[in-house]
Amino acid sequence: MFDFDKEIDRSNTMSLKWDKYKGQDVLPMWVADTDFRSPECVIEALGKRVEHGIFGYSRPSPRLIELIVNRLAERYGWQIDPSWLVFLPGVVPGLNLACRAWTAPGRGVITPKPVYYPFLLAPGINDRPLLNVPMVEQDGRWVLDLEELELQAAGADLLLLCHPHNPGGTAFTRDELLAIQAIAERHDLVVCSDEIHCDLILDKNVRHLPYGAISPEAADRCAVMMAPSKTFNIAGLCCSFAVIPNERLRFRLQQAMRGICADVNLLGFVAAEAAYEGGDSWLEAQLDYLRGNLALIEEAVARWPGVNLARHQATYLAWIDVAALGLDNPIAFFEQAGVGLSPGAQFGNGQFVRLNFGCTRATLREALDRMERAILAHQG
């Protein structure tokens, strides 16, 4: 029913991902959008709305709100009230708004490190100290250093959590989330959990658990940010939402939004509603395809001496440790080999690279072959 092997030419389509290496023989495997055509239900809904011909200011439909409430209950076991929803033009604006809304001047914002780079930028943009807590590899998974989190929490008002973790690929367990919540309770931290990759769980033995669903206490001091964007490849339409059970925290975010945060655009709402209404069979097929792509990466990395990939549970973004290669500039090295990756330094560790495997299997095989030839030649 769904052909994820189909090559779709994205050149000359104003694609950030593909224009970066325009005119060069470099496969773009960096920024987090996929090369898969979005579900037909989304394309049809957008086409129908475009035919209407008027694109004024918009608001979420009652049906979209109902779909979100039902989705969180059915997929994740989280019963929410519709009043808890705040719509945003993206999770990244949400991270910045969180720093404005829920911290006092001079108080720190804690982020994991490494982490998706807007986490590292948001505190400084909003004139707040950045407090990093290292991610450590434990039993083959990347998890937060809880002892360091405890230490940093004394000087902070806010924890920005990335769950599932980008770039590490960890889906945190209930026990891990409860340990974080206990520290947040002791130190009166608000937890803003970026869960944009929640639908992209590749480990069949794992189920995503929203931070706000772990306990009433966690729900009362958190915001969970989600979106259909990564799931259904509609990131350019800029429709996200925050789930904020605490009325006071919700009001403070809404106040921080005033005058600086654009409303979600009409087509973003249309695409989100269509995706949540009819896109899940497409999503399940995509997940199976991504699992096959991940298996190819795991097989390739196993052949590369010294290169390592921790157990990857979620997202289509592989976090690959290339420290053993001794490269001065890993990104330039792989670009010269014809593969454009995201630099680990951007996320907080320059000895890693991030590879986006949300692409056709043929593209991925070619990229891995190019990387392998370069690595083996480098190692002599």
Side-chain angles (χ1 to χ4, degrees), residues 312-374:
H312 189 92
Q313 297 176 305
T315 83
Y316 51 76
L317 305 164
W319 185 236
I320 302 173
D321 182 355
V322 295
L325 300 181
L327 303 172
D328 293 332
N329 187 335
I331 292 305
F333 174 83
F334 288 113
E335 284 177 339
Q336 189 172 1
V339 182
L341 306 171
S342 292
Q346 192 176 49
F347 303 87
N349 190 326
Q351 295 304 312
F352 284 74
V353 294
R354 194 188 75 171
L355 184 153
N356 176 350
F357 57 93
C359 60
T360 68
R361 203 146 291 158
T363 298
L364 179 61
R365 284 195 178 102
E366 177 61 26
L368 294 173
D369 285 347
R370 293 181 182 191
M371 293 174 70
E372 184 159 319
R373 289 194 295 269

Side-chain angles (χ1 to χ4, degrees), residues 205-334:
N205 297 314
V206 169
R207 184 185 183 195
H208 178 77
L209 177 63
Y211 182 85
I214 61 173
S215 71
E217 293 77 15
D220 194 49
R221 57 171 62 251
C222 82
V224 171
M225 297 195 177
M226 294 178 168
S229 52
K230 305 301 182 187
T231 307
F232 300 102
N233 203 25
I234 53 175
L237 293 175
C238 300
C239 178
S240 302
F241 57 91
V243 185
I244 311 174
N246 182 297
E247 183 178 5
R248 178 179 57 86
L249 294 180
R250 193 165 62 248
F251 175 76
R252 285 167 61 183
L253 186 79
Q254 291 166 329
Q255 288 296 102
M257 293 170 65
R258 293 179 61 185
I260 62 167
C261 188
D263 293 331
V264 175
N265 73 80
L266 169 65
L267 296 183
F269 281 136
V270 169
E273 182 176 333
Y276 286 154
E277 185 81 72
D280 280 342
S281 58
W282 179 94
L283 169 58
E284 293 309 313
Q286 179 190 218
L287 290 173
D288 282 342
Y289 194 86
L290 291 173
R291 290 180 184 115
N293 279 0
L294 176 60
L296 285 181
I297 296 170
E298 291 171 338
E299 291 167 9
V301 170
R303 295 192 301 268
W304 302 343
V307 179
N308 182 57
L309 173 70
R311 182 153 63 95
H312 189 92
Q313 297 176 305
T315 83
Y316 51 76
L317 305 164
W319 185 236
I320 302 173
D321 182 355
V322 295
L325 300 181
L327 303 172
D328 293 332
N329 187 335
I331 292 305
F333 174 83
F334 288 113

Side-chain angles (χ1 to χ4, degrees), residues 8 14 32 54 58 61 123 270 291-292 363 372:
I8 299 174
M14 296 180 289
I54 297 177
S58 189
S61 70
V270 169
R291 290 180 184 115
T363 298
E372 184 159 319

